[in-house]
Short mmCIF file of all heavy atoms in Angstrom, two decimals:
data_model
loop_
_atom_site.label_atom_id
_atom_site.label_comp_id
_atom_site.label_asym_id
_atom_site.label_seq_id
_atom_site.Cartn_x
_atom_site.Cartn_y
_atom_site.Cartn_z
N CYS A 182 9.68 -17.96 -8.27
CA CYS A 182 9.33 -18.80 -9.40
C CYS A 182 9.73 -20.24 -9.12
O CYS A 182 10.92 -20.53 -8.93
CB CYS A 182 10.04 -18.29 -10.66
SG CYS A 182 9.70 -19.25 -12.15
N ARG A 183 8.77 -21.12 -9.05
CA ARG A 183 9.05 -22.54 -8.79
C ARG A 183 9.36 -23.23 -10.13
O ARG A 183 8.67 -23.04 -11.13
CB ARG A 183 7.87 -23.21 -8.11
CG ARG A 183 7.46 -22.54 -6.78
CD ARG A 183 6.55 -23.43 -5.98
NE ARG A 183 7.25 -24.61 -5.50
CZ ARG A 183 7.95 -24.66 -4.38
NH1 ARG A 183 8.06 -23.58 -3.63
NH2 ARG A 183 8.56 -25.78 -4.00
N VAL A 184 10.43 -24.06 -10.10
CA VAL A 184 10.94 -24.66 -11.33
C VAL A 184 11.04 -26.17 -11.15
O VAL A 184 11.73 -26.63 -10.21
CB VAL A 184 12.32 -24.10 -11.71
CG1 VAL A 184 12.77 -24.64 -13.06
CG2 VAL A 184 12.29 -22.58 -11.72
N PRO A 185 10.42 -26.98 -12.01
CA PRO A 185 10.63 -28.43 -11.95
C PRO A 185 12.10 -28.76 -12.22
O PRO A 185 12.80 -28.03 -12.92
CB PRO A 185 9.72 -28.98 -13.06
CG PRO A 185 8.70 -27.89 -13.29
CD PRO A 185 9.41 -26.60 -13.02
N LEU A 186 12.57 -29.85 -11.64
CA LEU A 186 13.98 -30.22 -11.74
C LEU A 186 14.43 -30.35 -13.19
O LEU A 186 15.54 -29.92 -13.56
CB LEU A 186 14.23 -31.52 -10.98
CG LEU A 186 15.68 -32.03 -10.99
CD1 LEU A 186 16.62 -31.00 -10.39
CD2 LEU A 186 15.78 -33.36 -10.26
N LYS A 187 13.60 -30.95 -14.04
CA LYS A 187 13.97 -31.13 -15.44
C LYS A 187 14.26 -29.79 -16.10
O LYS A 187 15.27 -29.64 -16.82
CB LYS A 187 12.86 -31.86 -16.19
CG LYS A 187 13.14 -32.06 -17.67
CD LYS A 187 11.99 -32.80 -18.35
CE LYS A 187 12.24 -32.93 -19.84
NZ LYS A 187 11.12 -33.66 -20.53
N GLN A 188 13.37 -28.79 -15.89
CA GLN A 188 13.58 -27.48 -16.49
C GLN A 188 14.78 -26.77 -15.85
O GLN A 188 15.50 -26.02 -16.53
CB GLN A 188 12.32 -26.63 -16.33
CG GLN A 188 11.15 -27.15 -17.16
CD GLN A 188 9.90 -26.32 -16.96
OE1 GLN A 188 9.63 -25.84 -15.88
NE2 GLN A 188 9.12 -26.17 -18.03
N ALA A 189 14.99 -27.01 -14.58
CA ALA A 189 16.15 -26.40 -13.92
C ALA A 189 17.45 -26.92 -14.51
O ALA A 189 18.45 -26.20 -14.65
CB ALA A 189 16.12 -26.66 -12.42
N LEU A 190 17.47 -28.20 -14.91
CA LEU A 190 18.67 -28.79 -15.48
C LEU A 190 18.84 -28.43 -16.96
O LEU A 190 19.95 -28.17 -17.42
CB LEU A 190 18.62 -30.31 -15.34
CG LEU A 190 18.71 -30.85 -13.90
CD1 LEU A 190 18.47 -32.36 -13.89
CD2 LEU A 190 20.06 -30.51 -13.27
N CYS A 191 17.75 -28.40 -17.69
CA CYS A 191 17.82 -28.24 -19.14
C CYS A 191 17.59 -26.78 -19.59
O CYS A 191 17.90 -26.46 -20.75
CB CYS A 191 16.79 -29.13 -19.83
SG CYS A 191 17.02 -30.90 -19.48
N GLY A 192 17.04 -25.95 -18.72
CA GLY A 192 16.73 -24.58 -19.09
C GLY A 192 15.30 -24.42 -19.59
O GLY A 192 14.67 -25.38 -20.03
N PHE A 193 14.78 -23.21 -19.50
CA PHE A 193 13.42 -22.91 -19.98
C PHE A 193 13.26 -21.41 -20.10
O PHE A 193 14.16 -20.63 -19.74
CB PHE A 193 12.37 -23.54 -19.06
CG PHE A 193 12.18 -22.85 -17.74
CD1 PHE A 193 10.92 -22.48 -17.29
CD2 PHE A 193 13.27 -22.58 -16.89
CE1 PHE A 193 10.74 -21.85 -16.08
CE2 PHE A 193 13.10 -21.97 -15.67
CZ PHE A 193 11.82 -21.62 -15.27
N ARG A 194 12.12 -20.98 -20.63
CA ARG A 194 11.83 -19.55 -20.86
C ARG A 194 10.52 -19.21 -20.15
O ARG A 194 9.45 -19.20 -20.76
CB ARG A 194 11.74 -19.24 -22.35
CG ARG A 194 13.01 -19.54 -23.13
CD ARG A 194 12.82 -19.30 -24.62
NE ARG A 194 12.58 -17.90 -24.92
CZ ARG A 194 13.54 -17.03 -25.21
NH1 ARG A 194 14.82 -17.44 -25.26
NH2 ARG A 194 13.27 -15.77 -25.48
N PRO A 195 10.59 -18.94 -18.86
CA PRO A 195 9.34 -18.63 -18.13
C PRO A 195 8.81 -17.25 -18.46
O PRO A 195 9.56 -16.32 -18.78
CB PRO A 195 9.78 -18.70 -16.67
CG PRO A 195 11.21 -18.29 -16.70
CD PRO A 195 11.75 -18.86 -17.99
N VAL A 207 11.69 -14.53 -19.78
CA VAL A 207 13.07 -14.59 -19.35
C VAL A 207 13.69 -15.87 -19.88
O VAL A 207 13.14 -16.96 -19.74
CB VAL A 207 13.18 -14.56 -17.81
CG1 VAL A 207 14.65 -14.62 -17.38
CG2 VAL A 207 12.51 -13.31 -17.25
N ASN A 208 14.86 -15.74 -20.53
CA ASN A 208 15.57 -16.91 -21.06
C ASN A 208 16.53 -17.43 -19.99
O ASN A 208 17.52 -16.77 -19.65
CB ASN A 208 16.34 -16.52 -22.33
CG ASN A 208 17.03 -17.72 -22.94
OD1 ASN A 208 16.67 -18.87 -22.68
ND2 ASN A 208 18.03 -17.47 -23.79
N MET A 209 16.22 -18.60 -19.44
CA MET A 209 17.06 -19.21 -18.42
C MET A 209 17.69 -20.48 -18.98
O MET A 209 17.06 -21.52 -19.10
CB MET A 209 16.22 -19.53 -17.18
CG MET A 209 15.62 -18.33 -16.47
SD MET A 209 16.88 -17.19 -15.84
CE MET A 209 17.73 -18.25 -14.65
N ALA A 210 18.95 -20.36 -19.37
CA ALA A 210 19.67 -21.53 -19.86
C ALA A 210 20.12 -22.36 -18.66
O ALA A 210 20.69 -21.83 -17.72
CB ALA A 210 20.87 -21.10 -20.70
N GLY A 211 19.82 -23.65 -18.70
CA GLY A 211 20.17 -24.50 -17.57
C GLY A 211 21.66 -24.78 -17.49
O GLY A 211 22.43 -24.50 -18.44
N PRO A 212 22.13 -25.34 -16.40
CA PRO A 212 21.31 -25.65 -15.21
C PRO A 212 21.13 -24.41 -14.32
O PRO A 212 21.99 -23.54 -14.27
CB PRO A 212 22.13 -26.72 -14.50
CG PRO A 212 23.53 -26.44 -14.91
CD PRO A 212 23.50 -25.89 -16.30
N ILE A 213 19.98 -24.37 -13.63
CA ILE A 213 19.67 -23.30 -12.69
C ILE A 213 19.96 -23.80 -11.28
O ILE A 213 19.42 -24.82 -10.86
CB ILE A 213 18.20 -22.86 -12.80
CG1 ILE A 213 17.89 -22.42 -14.24
CG2 ILE A 213 17.89 -21.75 -11.82
CD1 ILE A 213 16.42 -22.18 -14.49
N GLN A 214 20.78 -23.09 -10.56
CA GLN A 214 21.15 -23.51 -9.21
C GLN A 214 20.04 -23.15 -8.23
O GLN A 214 19.36 -22.13 -8.39
CB GLN A 214 22.45 -22.83 -8.79
CG GLN A 214 23.65 -23.13 -9.69
CD GLN A 214 24.00 -24.61 -9.67
OE1 GLN A 214 23.89 -25.28 -8.65
NE2 GLN A 214 24.46 -25.12 -10.82
N PRO A 215 19.83 -23.95 -7.20
CA PRO A 215 18.86 -23.58 -6.13
C PRO A 215 19.23 -22.23 -5.52
O PRO A 215 20.40 -21.97 -5.24
CB PRO A 215 19.01 -24.70 -5.11
CG PRO A 215 19.54 -25.87 -5.90
CD PRO A 215 20.43 -25.29 -6.94
N GLY A 216 18.24 -21.36 -5.40
CA GLY A 216 18.48 -20.03 -4.84
C GLY A 216 18.95 -19.01 -5.86
O GLY A 216 19.23 -17.86 -5.49
N ALA A 217 19.05 -19.40 -7.14
CA ALA A 217 19.49 -18.46 -8.17
C ALA A 217 18.49 -17.33 -8.31
O ALA A 217 17.28 -17.50 -8.07
CB ALA A 217 19.68 -19.19 -9.50
N THR A 218 18.95 -16.16 -8.73
CA THR A 218 18.08 -15.00 -8.94
C THR A 218 18.35 -14.39 -10.30
O THR A 218 19.44 -14.54 -10.86
CB THR A 218 18.29 -13.94 -7.85
OG1 THR A 218 19.63 -13.44 -7.90
CG2 THR A 218 17.99 -14.49 -6.47
N ARG A 219 17.38 -13.69 -10.82
CA ARG A 219 17.51 -12.90 -12.05
C ARG A 219 16.85 -11.56 -11.81
O ARG A 219 15.70 -11.51 -11.35
CB ARG A 219 16.88 -13.63 -13.23
CG ARG A 219 16.83 -12.82 -14.53
CD ARG A 219 18.21 -12.56 -15.10
NE ARG A 219 18.87 -13.77 -15.49
CZ ARG A 219 18.75 -14.33 -16.70
NH1 ARG A 219 17.94 -13.78 -17.61
NH2 ARG A 219 19.40 -15.43 -17.00
N LYS A 240 13.31 -14.99 -7.88
CA LYS A 240 14.00 -15.99 -7.07
C LYS A 240 13.51 -17.37 -7.48
O LYS A 240 12.31 -17.67 -7.37
CB LYS A 240 13.76 -15.75 -5.58
CG LYS A 240 14.43 -14.51 -5.04
CD LYS A 240 14.29 -14.41 -3.52
CE LYS A 240 15.06 -13.21 -2.97
NZ LYS A 240 14.97 -13.12 -1.48
N PHE A 241 14.43 -18.21 -7.94
CA PHE A 241 14.06 -19.52 -8.45
C PHE A 241 14.13 -20.56 -7.33
O PHE A 241 15.12 -20.66 -6.61
CB PHE A 241 14.97 -19.92 -9.60
CG PHE A 241 14.80 -19.08 -10.83
CD1 PHE A 241 15.65 -17.99 -11.06
CD2 PHE A 241 13.78 -19.32 -11.72
CE1 PHE A 241 15.48 -17.20 -12.17
CE2 PHE A 241 13.60 -18.53 -12.84
CZ PHE A 241 14.47 -17.46 -13.07
N GLU A 242 13.05 -21.31 -7.20
CA GLU A 242 12.96 -22.38 -6.20
C GLU A 242 12.78 -23.70 -6.96
O GLU A 242 11.82 -23.88 -7.68
CB GLU A 242 11.80 -22.13 -5.25
CG GLU A 242 11.93 -20.82 -4.46
CD GLU A 242 10.77 -20.59 -3.52
OE1 GLU A 242 9.75 -21.31 -3.64
OE2 GLU A 242 10.86 -19.69 -2.68
N ILE A 243 13.74 -24.60 -6.79
CA ILE A 243 13.76 -25.84 -7.55
C ILE A 243 12.90 -26.88 -6.84
O ILE A 243 13.03 -27.12 -5.64
CB ILE A 243 15.20 -26.36 -7.69
CG1 ILE A 243 16.14 -25.24 -8.17
CG2 ILE A 243 15.23 -27.55 -8.66
CD1 ILE A 243 15.74 -24.61 -9.46
N ASP A 244 12.00 -27.49 -7.61
CA ASP A 244 11.16 -28.58 -7.10
C ASP A 244 11.84 -29.92 -7.38
O ASP A 244 11.92 -30.37 -8.52
CB ASP A 244 9.78 -28.56 -7.76
CG ASP A 244 8.93 -27.39 -7.29
OD1 ASP A 244 9.16 -26.92 -6.16
OD2 ASP A 244 8.03 -26.96 -8.05
N PHE A 245 12.36 -30.54 -6.34
CA PHE A 245 12.99 -31.85 -6.48
C PHE A 245 11.92 -32.94 -6.34
O PHE A 245 10.98 -32.79 -5.55
CB PHE A 245 14.08 -32.04 -5.44
CG PHE A 245 15.31 -31.21 -5.69
CD1 PHE A 245 15.40 -29.91 -5.21
CD2 PHE A 245 16.36 -31.75 -6.41
CE1 PHE A 245 16.52 -29.16 -5.46
CE2 PHE A 245 17.50 -30.99 -6.66
CZ PHE A 245 17.58 -29.69 -6.19
N PRO A 246 12.07 -34.05 -7.06
CA PRO A 246 11.11 -35.16 -6.92
C PRO A 246 11.20 -35.76 -5.52
O PRO A 246 12.29 -35.82 -4.93
CB PRO A 246 11.52 -36.15 -8.00
CG PRO A 246 12.96 -35.83 -8.27
CD PRO A 246 13.11 -34.36 -8.07
N LEU A 257 20.13 -41.63 -14.21
CA LEU A 257 20.80 -40.41 -13.75
C LEU A 257 22.27 -40.65 -13.49
O LEU A 257 23.13 -39.83 -13.83
CB LEU A 257 20.10 -39.88 -12.49
CG LEU A 257 18.75 -39.21 -12.69
CD1 LEU A 257 18.11 -38.88 -11.35
CD2 LEU A 257 18.90 -37.95 -13.53
N LEU A 261 24.88 -38.41 -15.40
CA LEU A 261 25.63 -37.44 -14.63
C LEU A 261 27.01 -37.98 -14.22
O LEU A 261 27.86 -37.24 -13.78
CB LEU A 261 24.83 -37.04 -13.38
CG LEU A 261 23.47 -36.40 -13.68
CD1 LEU A 261 22.72 -36.12 -12.36
CD2 LEU A 261 23.65 -35.11 -14.46
#
Side-chain angles (χ1 to χ4, degrees):
C182 179
R183 303 195 68 86
V184 186
L186 180 59
K187 178 180 177 180
Q188 292 178 324
L190 293 173
C191 300
F193 74 129
R194 300 176 65 92
V207 180
N208 183 20
M209 296 298 298
I213 303 171
Q214 300 297 325
T218 62
R219 174 67 64 88
K240 291 187 176 181
F241 293 96
E242 299 179 348
I243 312 303
D244 288 334
F245 288 87
L257 286 173
L261 299 177

